[in-house]
């Protein structure tokens, strides 16, 4: 796996990471608990912070968990339900 820089990414990884963290705070759930409840590894967030793009399926799982659109997570678009 070659590291993808934020410049080469189709979306801003920092925005994605921050939106996930913000939703966890809003919903009063830890990032680790959310990932566990989604059936995902803690490495998802660790890898985002390191600049690795996640699989789209993982973004969809997280969006579904919070009841928001994938667009919201990756672009900070209005929350969809």
């Amino acid at each position: 796996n070659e590291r993808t820089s934020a410049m080469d990414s189709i979306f801003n990884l920092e925005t994605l990471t921050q939106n996930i963290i913000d939703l966890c705070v809003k919903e009063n759930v830890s990032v680790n608990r959310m990932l566990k409840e989604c059936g995902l590894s803690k490495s998802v967030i660790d890898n985002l912070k390191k600049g690795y793009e996640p699989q789209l399926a993982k973004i969809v799982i997280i969006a579904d968990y919070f009841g928001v659109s994938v667009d919201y997570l990756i672009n900070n678009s209005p929350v969809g339900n």
Side-chain angles (χ1 to χ4, degrees):
N1 285 340
E2 201 171 271
R3 184 175 179 192
T4 303
S5 74
M7 292 286 278
D8 297 333
S9 179
I10 59 169
F11 50 83
N12 187 310
L13 297 176
E14 289 179 17
T15 299
L16 173 60
T17 305
Q18 193 57 54
N19 286 342
I20 292 169
I21 292 168
D22 288 350
L23 284 167
C24 285
V25 169
K26 181 181 172 188
E27 297 297 323
N28 197 28
V29 62
S30 72
V31 172
N32 288 340
R33 179 175 166 203
M34 177 274 298
L35 291 170
K36 184 177 181 178
E37 290 180 4
C38 287
L40 300 173
S41 164
K42 182 182 182 293
S43 66
V44 171
I45 295 296
D46 294 339
N47 287 339
L48 278 172
K49 290 178 180 178
K50 292 176 186 173
Y52 293 101
E53 259 184 53
Q55 295 173 344
L56 180 58
K58 293 178 181 177
I59 298 173
V60 170
I61 290 168
I62 294 169
D64 287 347
Y65 177 86
F66 288 113
V68 299
S69 67
V70 170
D71 281 343
Y72 175 81
L73 284 182
I74 62 176
N75 297 316
N76 208 10
S77 295
V79 174
N81 203 23

